[in-house]
Amino acid sequence: MAEQQYFKPRSVDEASALLGDHPGAVIIGGGAYVRLGSRKITTAVDLFDAGLDYVRAGADGLELGAMATFRMLETDSLVNGYADGVVSRSVERIVGVQMRNITTVGGTLYGRYGFSNLITALLALDAEVALHRAGRMPLERFFTTKPDPGDILTGVILPDLPWRAAWRDLTRTVNDYAVLNTAVAVREGQARVVVGARPGRGVRCAEAEAALLAGGEGAADKAGRAAAAELEFGDDVRASAAYRRELCGTLVARAAREVLS
Amino acid sequence: MKITFALNGRETTWEIEPVETLLEALRRHGLTGVKQGCDTASCGVCTVLLDGKPVPSCAVPAARVDGHAVLTVEGVPEKARAVGEALAAEGADQCGYCAPGLVMSLVAMEQEPGPPDEDKIASYLAGNLCRCSGYASQSRAIKKYLGGKP
Amino acid sequence: MNEVGKSLPKIDGVGLAMGRPAFTDDLAPREALVVRALRSPHPFARLKSIDTAAAEAMPGVACVLTWKDVPRIAVTRAGQGHPEPSPRDRFILDEYVRHVGDEVAVVAADTAATAAAALDVLAVEYEVLDPVLDFEQADGHASVLHPEPEAHENFPIGFEPQRNIASAYEMHVGDVDKVVAESEVVVRRTYYTQAQQHVALEPMVCATWLDLHGRLNVVTSTQTPWHVRRIMARALDMPVSEIRVNKPRIGGGFGGKQMIHGELLCGLVTRRTGKAAKMVYSRREVFTATNTRHPMRMEITLAAHPDGRLRAIDMQALSDTGAYGEHALTVFMVAGAKTLPLYNKVEAVRFGGKTVYTNHAPGGAYRGYGAIQGNYALESALAELADELDLDPVELRRLNMIAEGETSPIFAIMGEGTEGVAQTIDSCKLPECIDRGMELIGWNDKFPRREAGPDRVRGVGMALAMQGSGIPAIDMAAATLKLNDFGSFNLLIGATDLGTGSDTILAQIAAEALGVATDIIKVYSSDTDRTPFDTGAYASSTTYVSGHAVRKAAEKMKAELIAEGAAMLGCDPQAAVFDGREVRGPGGAISLEDLSTRLLYSRNQKQLCTTGSHLCEKSPPPYMAAFAEVEVDLGTGKVDLIDYVAVVDCGQAINPNLARVQVEGGLVQGIGMALTEDVRYGKRGALLTRDMMTYKIPARQDVPRITVELVDSHEPSGPFGAKSVGEIGIDTPPAVIANAVFNATGVRVRDLPLTPEKVLMALRRTQES
Ligand SMILES: Cc1cc2nc3c(=O)[nH]c(=O)nc-3n(C[C@H](O)[C@H](O)[C@H](O)COP(=O)(O)OP(=O)(O)OC[C@H]3O[C@@H](n4cnc5c(N)ncnc54)[C@H](O)[C@@H]3O)c2cc1C
Ligand code: FES
Ligand code: FES
């Protein structure tokens, strides 16, 4: 067995240097998933003390540090005040307070989890991510680029935009993973409809957004039908593709109705 | 590797494995109040406070707590007794395996702002599963415990 | 009564909340070797070879065992009486693995990390075999799970391994086919129940070591210490007398610990190495490698007169026992035995079918033990009949249900694995339970449905249930009371407290019978060396059976106290009384404290020690009427439970709080089975639900308002009027919730659980047609 090492850098720069010195090192964010994976970790770089556990108003918008926990997103007044609190709503029922005290923004985005509620919510708000090496980029682009295991996600920026937004998901028990989740957001001339846990990762649905922008009678239901028709769904232990498609129509229409009202 | 941290208010230095969880390290050092339940941060029986916040010790690397403060049920005997008595008065203490984790969540909840109304109790304790009691008796006991405090 | 009927606090509650060492892993020797099993990735395979050399060569590895290293003695791991009614179809380790998670080999090492590393280097060659994954195809499948010649039944249970049949059973009263053919109204339906996992929060855990006499000591989280000892002795080929089994506090059982788990492997490691060993299951192992509730298919036929009087019931079941036949026959029989007597006025009744092997995790005991499967099918079918007859479902029950003073032929015909025992029902407060339940739920206002906002509708449903109180003519329990100096008592009982509070209520029974306060009774339980025998905590037997044993021991103790007190006072024992504090005669009195102290130290010295034992002669059923209101989201199919009302006749509640919590806890497990809990397998037999993220038990906010009331009742044959209460709570939710969903939506889901998906898809189908 290789000698195992555990580092707790005090800054992002120090963390980055450690990653450079130890190829194959694994970043620990919340750590909730790192141990679940079956891979054997030889070098761990834990960002717990790296100063990234903030939520703050920045120059370009609301800044969520990579080590901001779900519990912080749930309780922070800035996050609750942003876009009708949709980010808070997306995480506030996940498992329990204990788990939400450890799971992080950075670990969730870097994990690119299909089931993720947070990813769905952030995508609907045109969030940007900040990476230590690669710099800033829209979250959508981050998901289409190949992850760089040596880079560090330092935070998320939510631009100062007057979104009206709503959250819907369906879970089997209150604190289960979503069978399907959706965030819908609108502002002057813009609409976002994102559906995740399909079980694939949250994606925008152009036709549904167009239906919302077109407005008029029954726009919300049209958006729901469009999303159900356009998106891809799959089977997993929680539900079948066919059910998810039905559910998508309902949940998107309900979220849309809320933001349009 | 060595870690130095405040365990139940006392500076403590332990030799640990770099990949060990806090749960494993605590139990290995004889703190048996913290229990193993699900191994996946899902049940709450391993709850301890890290810097005052409840966390699932099964998902926290032991190495992380170096330089921080950990509180376990062994560090709050008076509260634990009071909660235990409240549970017992309602018959809510069934197997008792979930009780120490529940105690720790309650200790943390009491530090939270705002009055502990029914919804808040239910959502704050959502991560503390109990398979025996069906929760109703626990809720009765917790309400009495919170109400009966000075 | 002074002590019985009081909600005294559980005697161990505070210590447990404080986290004091109490559970098996807390008490296991610190130096114990860590035992870990290598588990099969295949649902069915033969082990062609296992190369253990690399593992054995690792520093810190104490031993590696494969099927070649274990005695070839067939056992069952079901914790049942002797001889067990389950087939002996298992070895400590075998050449075949029969489900994903089955044990391939075992290692013992000085640390968990070394044990894990040693497992990684075991090289196994598997010959993968075609698995049986669909229980409806198991009988006659080309693959045979148990071809081994050693597998056998202890007495006829219908064991036919070459057809993958673990057990079979048939019974009938009257000519069902004829009555059905003659009847004007006939309802025929098929229902499916799923596998459910116990999810006791403490996983399976045991530790073993040799004491100074070289005897094998076992501390284990079990419901049945005596059965563990007996089966260990058989499997390890050693005398029963050389084993001591002790159950400390246990973190929930629910039937899951009425099975042998790590004890055989751990015991073998200790025997081979001479060292202490312990085995703590990971949660994944609990899911993959322990037991579940037996999934069943239930085909029900009800025949009735147009006015609702039932004429015949036919229940044909197929049960899936997975890879091993643990509790195969007995769970199957209970599906009929603890449901059909509820409707005792039929002209004909028939029950039968078989339990088959598949390459799934084995079935086993789980609270309800077949009754919940039978209850879901029968109580759903009755609701369907009521609907067809346009009768209020409550009225249909009232017309047909059993009443005090009546009997059912089924009691005599069906026992658990054997014939039953005839009995007359001396306590049955179902009418009161129904009236009170209707009032609490507001049945007359709410039946069948009401709108609850856009896309939401509410409906109510109901069901009745019965259970038993111990297994008649089989369950035996014993208790010993020992008088100490300064006037306290030790109560030594074999009974096994699973967190249910039985140590407390048995102390209450002793105190009541003696006339003393409960807190001077110090309980020590469940230790095969140090307490008298008890069959174990299952079949809702502890209060009724062990409680009687305690009462008898206490009555004898009281008589002896009076006799010794009278001797000291120099009076006739006939003229003396014991009032709980002192023995009083015509000329004076002596306090319990003085009497006990003198008896040990100064006069006519002797130890007072009395033992009572009790064989269960009948099994009076507790009853329940349950009602629920649900709200169904017509856009998602999600069922939210709004209100659950359960009114119970459990005889005299010895400790009302603990009785009520038994029901509340049972209900929530039943609610989980009704709505979310579902053991699922992939197409190739891998378990998909192997952690608590995929297998969902109810959390605090999932549980609605629950109202449990106990009606006044007194069972003449019970200790101080008590019947049982441990299982009845779990039986009703599947039927009650399914019936409420039907009343709300018109949609009938006949396979559990009622997931949003099943409900919505059924709604869509009815909308289309
Ligand atoms: C029991 C349980 C239930 C859950 N239920 C839900 C649910 O219902 N809904 C939901 O949306 N989510 C759920 N999650 C997922 C959870 O919300 C998190 O998304 C997940 O735990 C990952 O977050 P983390 O901080 O623990 O990441 P980690 O486990 O620490 O890391 C995840 C990955 O990201 C990498 N990483 C971490 N931080 C960074 C960084 N700053 N820069 C670069 N790479 C990084 C790690 O190396 C790792 O590969 C659940 C998780 C658990 C354990
Ligand atoms: S063991 Fe940690 S949350 Fe269950
Ligand atoms: S009392 Fe047993 S899990 Fe809560």
Side-chain angles (χ1 to χ4, degrees):
Chain A
M1 274 183 289
E3 191 61 42
Q4 289 168 323
Q5 287 178 292
Y6 198 98
F7 296 105
K8 285 209 302 167
R10 319 267 323 167
S11 69
V12 178
D13 287 333
E14 198 189 320
S16 185
L18 283 166
L19 291 172
D21 293 347
H22 300 273
V26 173
I27 299 179
I28 312 271
Y33 264 23
V34 181
R35 276 196 78 257
L36 291 180
S38 52
R39 65 194 152 146
K40 297 255 152 87
I41 298 167
T42 51
T43 308
V45 177
D46 184 345
L47 300 181
F48 194 59
D49 291 334
L52 295 174
D53 54 339
Y54 57 80
V55 171
R56 65 190 178 207
D60 304 333
L62 185 56
E63 297 181 1
L64 315 176
M67 291 299 286
T69 64
F70 284 13
R71 181 71 179 159
M72 291 166 70
L73 303 185
E74 172 195 354
T75 53
D76 186 277
S77 59
L78 292 174
V79 186
N80 272 284
Y82 183 88
D84 297 325
V86 72
V87 173
S88 308
R89 297 296 83 72
S90 76
V91 298
E92 69 191 1
R93 284 183 305 146
I94 296 175
V95 186
V97 171
Q98 299 92 320
M99 212 247 10
R100 298 197 296 275
N101 269 328
I102 62 166
T103 46
T104 64
V105 169
T108 300
L109 299 191
Y110 232 83
R112 295 155 193 254
Y113 304 111
F115 55 76
S116 172
N117 288 0
L118 180 64
I119 289 175
T120 296
L122 293 179
L123 278 173
L125 304 172
D126 292 359
E128 290 184 42
V129 295
L131 295 154
H132 187 63
R133 276 202 228 154
R136 264 169 78 159
M137 65 179 81
L139 183 57
E140 268 195 278
R141 179 136 61 79
F142 171 73
F143 286 133
T144 56
T145 53
K146 205 167 161 289
D148 171 358
D151 207 353
I152 299 169
L153 194 153
T154 56
V156 168
I157 302 100
L158 290 166
D160 269 326
L161 297 169
W163 292 112
R164 295 228 45 209
W167 176 260
R168 285 290 185 284
D169 62 21
L170 182 103
T171 57
R172 297 174 303 171
T173 58
V174 168
N175 55 8
D176 190 13
Y177 292 78
V179 170
L180 192 94
N181 60 39
T182 183
V184 173
V186 294
R187 63 187 165 91
E188 197 56 47
Q190 299 285 329
R192 302 283 179 272
V193 175
V194 181
V195 181
R198 297 167 295 109
R201 181 166 32 78
V203 287
R204 285 176 57 182
C205 175
E207 307 236 333
E209 292 176 358
L212 288 187
L213 286 177
E217 186 81 350
D221 289 325
K222 276 185 208 147
R225 280 197 295 276
E230 188 186 324
L231 296 175
E232 275 180 32
F233 302 91
D235 298 331
D236 69 3
V237 68
R238 292 187 181 81
S240 72
Y243 174 65
R244 286 194 159 97
R245 193 175 293 284
E246 289 287 331
L247 195 58
C248 175
T250 301
L251 296 186
V252 168
R254 286 181 182 173
R257 220 170 287 136
E258 184 179 323
V259 293
L260 295 178
S261 69
Chain B
M1 65 183 285
K2 270 199 170 44
I3 54 169
T4 299
F5 67 115
L7 173 61
N8 295 331
R10 298 215 354 224
E11 188 175 292
T12 304
T13 299
W14 281 352
E15 184 64 40
I16 58 151
E17 299 288 326
V19 291
E20 197 170 18
T21 64
L22 181 56
L23 168 64
E24 288 163 331
L26 288 168
R27 286 195 64 87
R28 205 160 51 72
H29 286 88
L31 285 101
T32 50
V34 49
K35 307 297 182 206
Q36 176 214 341
C38 67
D39 312 327
T40 59
S42 313
C43 75
V45 301
C46 68
T47 303
V48 300
L49 305 195
L50 174 56
D51 298 337
K53 294 182 199 137
V55 295
S57 62
C58 68
V60 172
R64 164 169 288 189
V65 308
D66 183 39
H68 293 270
V70 173
L71 189 65
T72 72
V73 73
E74 286 86 352
V76 289
E78 291 315 313
K79 291 250 185 230
R81 176 180 291 283
V83 174
E85 282 169 358
L87 291 172
E90 288 296 328
D93 52 336
Q94 290 279 294
C95 77
Y97 202 71
C98 64
L102 188 68
V103 168
M104 296 318 291
S105 286
L106 277 168
V107 167
M109 191 180 84
E110 289 180 75
Q111 308 303 315
E112 293 275 313
D117 57 35
E118 198 146 336
D119 283 352
K120 179 166 163 193
I121 295 172
S123 66
Y124 200 88
L125 301 178
N128 292 92
L129 300 184
C130 175
R131 189 58 157 168
C132 302
S133 72
Y135 303 112
S137 56
Q138 280 192 354
S139 303
R140 293 193 289 271
I142 290 165
K143 260 183 263 168
K144 282 196 190 155
Y145 163 75
L146 293 170
K149 278 189 325 158
Chain C
M1 280 186 279
N2 290 319
E3 299 300 308
V4 158
K6 259 198 218 165
S7 287
L8 296 181
K10 212 154 127 299
I11 56 183
D12 48 0
V14 171
L16 295 176
M18 295 179 76
R20 291 191 178 135
F23 297 94
T24 299
D25 189 43
D26 306 346
L27 303 175
R30 288 287 278 275
E31 72 288 358
L33 294 170
V34 175
V35 179
R36 295 271 317 266
L38 181 71
R39 301 196 174 274
S40 172
H42 304 292
F44 197 19
R46 191 178 70 84
L47 306 177
K48 277 163 70 177
S49 67
I50 308 177
D51 186 347
T52 58
E56 275 163 333
M58 280 175 99
V61 170
C63 80
V64 180
L65 300 171
T66 73
W67 66 276
K68 295 195 171 146
D69 307 309
V70 308
R72 184 113 184 123
I73 300 171
V75 295
T76 174
R77 291 199 202 168
Q80 295 179 291
H82 177 66
E84 306 89 1
S86 296
R88 286 182 172 151
D89 55 8
R90 262 190 157 175
F91 306 91
I92 298 179
L93 291 167
D94 194 5
E95 187 184 358
Y96 287 83
V97 283
R98 298 180 176 84
H99 63 93
V100 170
D102 208 355
E103 286 131 12
V104 173
V106 53
V107 301
D110 55 2
T111 67
T114 309
L119 288 183
D120 282 349
V121 299
L122 284 177
V124 185
E125 232 189 309
Y126 295 93
E127 178 190 340
V128 176
L129 304 169
D130 182 25
V132 180
L133 298 175
D134 177 353
F135 78 121
E136 296 183 285
Q137 306 292 325
D139 179 2
H141 196 284
S143 291
V144 173
L145 268 87
H146 288 282
E148 65 278 8
E150 298 90 341
H152 64 277
E153 56 191 347
N154 287 322
F155 51 84
I157 60 168
F159 182 59
E160 270 189 84
Q162 58 292 349
R163 283 176 60 195
N164 289 323
I165 296 175
S167 72
Y169 180 79
E170 297 292 339
M171 67 73 77
H172 69 273
V173 178
D175 188 339
V176 166
D177 291 326
K178 182 160 163 282
V179 178
V180 169
E182 287 167 8
S183 292
E184 284 164 83
V185 190
V186 176
V187 165
R188 253 185 249 278
R189 297 286 189 275
T190 303
Y191 303 89
Y192 288 86
T193 62
Q194 80 278 37
Q196 184 184 21
Q197 238 284 337
H198 312 79
V199 199
L201 289 186
E202 180 203 32
M204 284 66 184
V205 46
C206 65
T208 51
W209 66 93
L210 300 178
D211 66 15
L212 95 152
H213 313 291
R215 289 172 78 231
L216 184 60
N217 275 243
V218 184
V219 51
T220 178
S221 183
T222 185
Q223 297 176 223
T224 55
W226 276 266
H227 301 332
V228 167
R229 180 175 67 164
R230 193 189 72 242
I231 295 169
M232 281 185 87
R234 177 179 163 84
L236 297 171
D237 200 12
M238 61 191 287
V240 164
S241 60
E242 290 308 299
I243 303 177
R244 169 187 171 205
V245 175
N246 174 221
K247 175 223 68 111
R249 294 296 94 191
I250 98 168
F254 319 119
K257 295 170 181 171
Q258 198 196 336
M259 251 82 60
I260 307 259
H261 297 291
E263 292 93 338
L264 304 180
L265 294 172
C266 236
L268 192 61
V269 165
T270 291
R271 294 255 287 169
R272 290 291 156 87
T273 62
K275 292 182 179 166
K278 77 168 179 179
M279 189 165 183
V280 183
Y281 277 46
S282 67
R283 183 56 57 180
R284 178 185 281 213
E285 288 181 295
V286 174
F287 277 106
T288 57
T290 73
N291 308 64
T292 69
R293 189 186 294 295
H294 291 82
M296 289 191 194
R297 181 188 71 199
M298 316 282 295
E299 296 171 296
I300 296 247
T301 306
L302 299 179
H305 292 292
D307 63 4
R309 280 174 301 135
L310 280 173
R311 300 192 59 194
I313 306 176
D314 186 19
M315 195 187 259
Q316 296 299 317
L318 179 70
S319 172
D320 176 359
T321 193
Y324 301 98
E326 284 138 21
H327 301 267
L329 173 67
T330 41
V331 165
F332 181 89
M333 289 180 69
V334 168
K338 302 226 170 115
T339 55
L340 297 171
L342 259 179
Y343 304 105
N344 61 333
K345 301 180 180 54
V346 292
E347 297 156 47
V349 55
R350 184 166 63 193
F351 174 79
K354 58 201 176 204
T355 304
V356 292
Y357 287 115
T358 64
N359 292 104
H360 288 155
Y366 188 160
R367 196 181 205 173
Y369 204 80
I372 185 170
Q373 291 97 319
N375 188 278
Y376 165 64
L378 180 59
E379 293 293 312
S380 295
L382 280 167
E384 299 206 46
L385 175 66
D387 187 56
E388 196 144 318
L389 295 170
D390 205 15
L391 250 182
D392 185 321
V394 178
E395 287 317 308
L396 182 69
R397 281 9 180 249
R398 279 201 176 117
L399 265 176
N400 292 291
M401 69 198 189
I402 196 166
E404 264 174 26
E406 296 180 356
T407 185
S408 159
I410 293 169
F411 293 130
I413 298 171
M414 295 176 75
E416 274 185 43
T418 54
E419 281 182 3
V421 171
Q423 63 176 347
T424 305
I425 298 304
D426 293 325
S427 63
C428 173
K429 302 291 172 222
L430 272 174
E432 290 83 345
C433 293
I434 290 177
D435 289 348
R436 182 66 182 142
M438 287 176 77
E439 189 180 321
L440 286 168
I441 197 91
W443 181 264
N444 292 333
D445 299 331
K446 292 179 181 164
F447 178 76
R449 79 175 60 84
R450 48 184 181 147
E451 300 300 317
D455 258 4
R456 300 186 80 84
V457 55
R458 288 186 176 193
V460 288
M462 61 87 57
L464 305 182
M466 62 173 279
Q467 192 62 245
S469 303
I471 309 175
I474 292 181
D475 280 349
M476 194 284 254
T480 295
L481 260 177
K482 175 164 76 70
L483 177 66
N484 296 319
D485 46 352
F486 298 93
S488 71
F489 298 89
N490 291 123
L491 175 61
L492 309 176
I493 40 178
T496 310
D497 190 335
L498 319 178
T500 48
S502 66
D503 284 355
T504 307
I505 62 148
L506 293 175
Q508 284 180 263
I509 289 175
E512 182 70 43
L514 278 167
V516 304
T518 301
D519 62 5
I520 65 166
I521 311 274
K522 305 298 169 191
V523 183
Y524 181 77
S525 59
S526 323
D527 184 327
T528 57
D529 266 14
R530 300 181 186 178
T531 67
F533 179 85
D534 193 293
T535 39
Y538 55 86
S540 296
S541 60
T542 302
T543 304
Y544 185 75
V545 187
S546 312
H548 256 312
V550 170
R551 185 186 54 79
K552 288 180 183 171
E555 284 168 357
K556 283 190 201 164
M557 176 58 78
K558 187 171 174 179
E560 292 200 12
L561 283 172
I562 291 173
E564 295 302 333
M568 288 221 201
L569 295 170
C571 73
D572 178 2
Q574 301 294 334
V577 292
F578 176 59
D579 68 359
R581 274 181 301 275
E582 52 188 24
V583 176
R584 244 182 297 119
I590 179 165
S591 71
L592 176 62
E593 195 177 323
D594 276 353
L595 173 62
S596 61
T597 310
R598 283 200 217 167
L599 274 175
L600 290 179
Y601 291 111
S602 47
R603 239 189 88 192
N604 190 18
Q605 285 97 315
K606 62 172 67 151
Q607 173 70 59
L608 295 197
C609 194
T610 56
T611 293
S613 71
H614 186 72
L615 170 69
C616 177
E617 277 151 10
K618 58 190 288 192
S619 181
Y623 297 95
M624 170 188 286
F627 298 81
E629 182 170 25
V630 301
E631 183 169 307
V632 183
D633 181 333
L634 300 171
T636 64
K638 177 101 198 290
V639 176
D640 286 325
L641 199 47
I642 304 299
D643 205 353
Y644 206 105
V645 168
V647 188
V648 185
D649 164 9
C650 60
Q652 165 70 48
I654 304 292
N655 182 317
N657 265 353
L658 293 175
R660 175 153 79 137
V661 176
Q662 277 301 303
V663 178
E664 290 173 347
L667 284 175
V668 172
Q669 288 183 5
I671 290 167
M673 174 154 168
L675 292 173
T676 59
E677 297 185 33
D678 197 4
V679 173
R680 307 258 320 257
Y681 291 90
K683 289 199 175 62
R684 281 135 147 231
L687 184 66
L688 302 178
T689 44
R690 51 190 191 187
D691 53 43
M692 288 176 67
M693 299 182 290
T694 43
Y695 185 88
K696 296 306 290 184
I697 65 169
R700 205 168 292 270
Q701 290 149 301
D702 292 303
V703 178
R705 191 167 66 208
I706 287 188
T707 309
V708 171
E709 284 193 8
L710 312 176
V711 294
D712 276 341
S713 173
H714 184 92
E715 166 58 37
S717 75
F720 299 106
K723 297 191 276 190
S724 82
V725 73
E727 293 185 277
I728 181 106
I730 205 170
D731 292 336
T732 55
V736 171
I737 292 171
N739 291 343
V741 168
F742 173 78
N743 288 334
T745 62
V747 161
R748 174 64 65 178
V749 176
R750 296 193 186 84
D751 62 323
L752 293 176
L754 280 78
T755 58
E757 169 156 7
K758 286 181 201 161
V759 174
L760 187 74
M761 294 326 227
L763 275 167
R764 292 286 190 262
R765 279 194 298 275
T766 50
Q767 282 156 2
E768 276 158 26
S769 63

